Amino acid sequence: MARIPPIRMGLSRRDFLKICTIATATMGLPVEMVEKVAAAVESSERPPVVWLHFMECTGCTESLLRSSHPPLARLILELISLEYHETLMAGAGEQAEEALKEALKKYKGRYICVVEGAVSTKDGGIYCQIGGRPAIEILREVGEEAGMVIAIGTCASFGGVQAAAPNPTGAVKVSQVLSRPVINIPGCPPNPYNFLSTVLYILTFGHPPELDDLSRPKFAYGRRIHDQCPRRPHFDEGRFVESFGDPAHQQGYCLYKVGCKGPVTYSNCPVQRFCDVGTWPIGSGHPCIGCTEPSFWDRMSPFYEHLPKIYIPAGGGIRVEAEKVGRVAVGAAAAVVAAHATIGAAKKVLKSISGKEKDQEE
Ligand code: FSX
Ligand code: SF4
Ligand code: F3S
């Protein structure tokens, strides 16, 4: 592999290549592509980025730049030229607004607009204002003139908690305000590698990665949590946690019955995980609450109840009733999962009745 010099901010070549390797794997590309990705970072002009903050908790920026893996934050800052970012920039007030105007003029049509947070639309958008201007006005000005728009986090991608019922401020997702395509990187917060890998992909190939029907990069959001989950064998065998702290929970069994929404949630969390210690909700014993999906605060709650109701009447008959869970695809998937979970549970019941270790035929 060609020698790649260390880049600035104290990032060693070893750390640089390590991050490029993880990002390349995240993109679903073969290891041979690491060199190409690394070379693209080294040779590309750093794209100017205007980063807007609207209605949110700043968790997206926190997870990205205050990660427990400092080289990752360094690479992100090194990869892009951050022209405006309210949380990170030194300037404030009029000085900051001046910097924004300058960046829009200087990089017109070329900068990447990253948006964090939902946008208020009610009463002229007065419930979210920066520098005395409604967020919706700022987004239209900055977003329409950008070379590309990336919505980071579930708030910007789908409205997030602000748009949850009763949505008092009329909060909407970024793509609802702009008349152009938006790349969504959802998650509350999103995985930093999904953002980094998307930017690296664009730098390497000169175009965005393939997106799903919700404008999410397929490499990160193409598969259900349930299909990649290390607890899946327990689901298949009907070994479920019934309540938090019970022996099944202590043994790491499936969290479906205590509310896991992994069967209807698309994300690479089981593989990508978070922070240096590789943590993620299910790995820590908490059900997935579907944070990468639209309207998850409404559609995925109650968070601690499973989506479909399962009945296993005495006598072995199986009856499944799927709850209404929003869009049809989710409902259909939930019904299939319910049937599967029920078969697994039924097998367990049969085993315990018969005392046989061998699986029963379905
Ligand atoms: Fe939303 Fe981001 Fe959740 Fe918070 O800023 S996606 S509330 S983690 O931080 O927008
Ligand atoms: Fe994993 Fe949740 Fe699926 Fe169980 S229901 S296998 S915990 S994703
Ligand atoms: Fe969110 Fe579920 Fe991943 S809650 S972080 S999508 S495991």
Side-chain angles (χ1 to χ4, degrees), residues 220-235:
Y221 304 94
R223 296 177 66 204
R224 295 185 307 165
I225 300 267
H226 190 59
D227 295 335
Q228 311 161 76
C229 181
R231 297 190 187 217
R232 179 63 184 266
H234 295 306
F235 177 92

Side-chain angles (χ1 to χ4, degrees), residues 2-185:
R3 190 180 187 286
I4 293 157
I7 54 178
R8 285 169 297 180
M9 300 182 76
L11 190 67
S12 70
R13 177 172 174 265
R14 183 189 168 88
D15 278 336
F16 172 65
L17 287 176
K18 190 176 157 193
I19 293 170
C20 287
T21 304
I22 297 172
T24 304
T26 305
M27 292 179 225
L29 298 174
V31 70
E32 293 76 36
M33 290 298 290
V34 173
E35 194 175 350
K36 187 169 176 173
V37 171
V41 176
E42 287 292 304
S43 62
S44 305
E45 194 190 327
R46 295 159 74 204
V49 170
V50 173
W51 194 296
L52 301 175
H53 278 280
F54 296 143
M55 302 164 85
E56 36 92 21
C57 78
T58 314
C60 304
T61 283
E62 289 292 334
S63 79
L64 201 69
L65 300 178
R66 311 264 191 274
S67 74
S68 71
H69 189 49
L72 174 66
R74 285 200 200 113
L75 181 62
I76 291 169
L77 287 173
E78 190 62 26
L79 195 62
I80 60 179
S81 173
L82 207 47
E83 302 297 324
Y84 180 87
H85 189 303
E86 285 150 22
T87 314
L88 299 177
M89 65 197 299
E94 285 176 10
Q95 204 183 19
E97 297 317 304
E98 205 47 48
L100 176 60
K101 269 191 218 150
E102 280 291 305
L104 298 190
K105 205 160 71 185
K106 191 168 167 192
Y107 301 110
K108 188 174 175 185
R110 289 196 293 129
Y111 60 87
I112 298 177
C113 169
V114 178
V115 190
E116 191 170 334
V119 191
S120 167
T121 58
K122 198 172 169 191
D123 301 329
I126 57 167
Y127 303 106
C128 178
Q129 301 192 55
I130 298 112
R133 296 169 69 201
I136 190 167
E137 191 183 309
I138 299 170
L139 177 58
R140 283 193 184 121
E141 181 190 6
V142 180
E144 298 294 0
E145 296 288 346
M148 188 173 291
V149 181
I150 299 177
I152 187 165
T154 297
C155 301
S157 300
F158 303 131
V161 68
Q162 295 73 214
N167 192 356
T169 66
V172 299
K173 58 189 173 184
V174 169
S175 62
Q176 211 163 314
V177 173
L178 298 177
S179 57
R180 57 175 303 159
V182 174
I183 299 173
N184 291 327
I185 315 282

Side-chain angles (χ1 to χ4, degrees), residues 225-226 229-232 235 253-256 260-263 282:
I225 300 267
H226 190 59
C229 181
R231 297 190 187 217
R232 179 63 184 266
F235 177 92
Y253 286 180
C254 172
L255 298 159
Y256 176 74
C260 186
K261 307 303 186 295
I282 292 172

Side-chain angles (χ1 to χ4, degrees), residues 328-361:
V328 176
V330 172
V336 171
V337 166
H340 199 168
T342 307
I343 290 164
K347 279 160 91 178
K348 192 181 173 200
V349 170
L350 288 169
K351 266 191 222 170
S352 67
I353 292 169
S354 64
K356 286 181 194 163
E357 283 305 310
K358 196 171 173 295
D359 283 353
Q360 305 292 320
E361 289 301 312

